[in-house]
Amino acid sequence: LALLIYNLYRLSTQGQTIGKQVMKIRIVRVEDNSQAGFVKAVLLRGFVNALIGIVPFYGLIDILFIFREDRRCIHDLLAGTHVVQA
């Protein structure tokens, strides 16, 4: 539970979890590459995406979106975010 809270805090404030920091990537807003913040990084990318995930085959479709030219999946499109090198 403590690790989950810590990762949610880091996503909200730095756009990175511990794993993203190790991989040297972070989540930012599409418009200006600024911090995504709690609503976009946690609620829209995570919580709303998980709610939609109850639809059959949604997870597969979401993953296949990575093959688009901009490499943004559905959860990125929902939140207005993208992943960049940190």
Side-chain angles (χ1 to χ4, degrees):
L1 182 60
L3 182 59
L4 172 68
I5 292 169
Y6 180 66
N7 274 326
L8 293 177
Y9 170 77
R10 287 182 48 96
L11 266 178
S12 300
T13 59
Q14 299 172 15
Q16 293 180 308
T17 59
I18 296 169
K20 284 178 176 46
Q21 184 177 12
V22 169
M23 297 302 296
K24 298 183 179 167
I25 58 175
R26 66 186 188 107
I27 300 167
V28 295
R29 293 175 188 239
V30 170
E31 307 87 40
D32 56 6
N33 285 344
S34 65
Q35 267 322 85
F38 180 77
V39 171
K40 288 183 179 268
V42 176
L43 292 182
L44 291 175
R45 283 187 100 241
F47 186 69
V48 171
N49 193 52
L51 288 177
I52 297 171
I54 64 171
V55 175
F57 302 108
Y58 170 76
L60 176 62
I61 295 167
D62 185 33
I63 291 169
L64 291 175
F65 265 63
I66 198 71
F67 296 110
R68 292 168 30 115
E69 187 174 327
D70 63 1
R71 299 189 56 123
R72 293 173 63 206
C73 293
I74 295 174
H75 55 271
D76 287 314
L77 297 171
L78 284 171
T81 59
H82 65 140
V83 178
V84 296
Q85 293 294 316

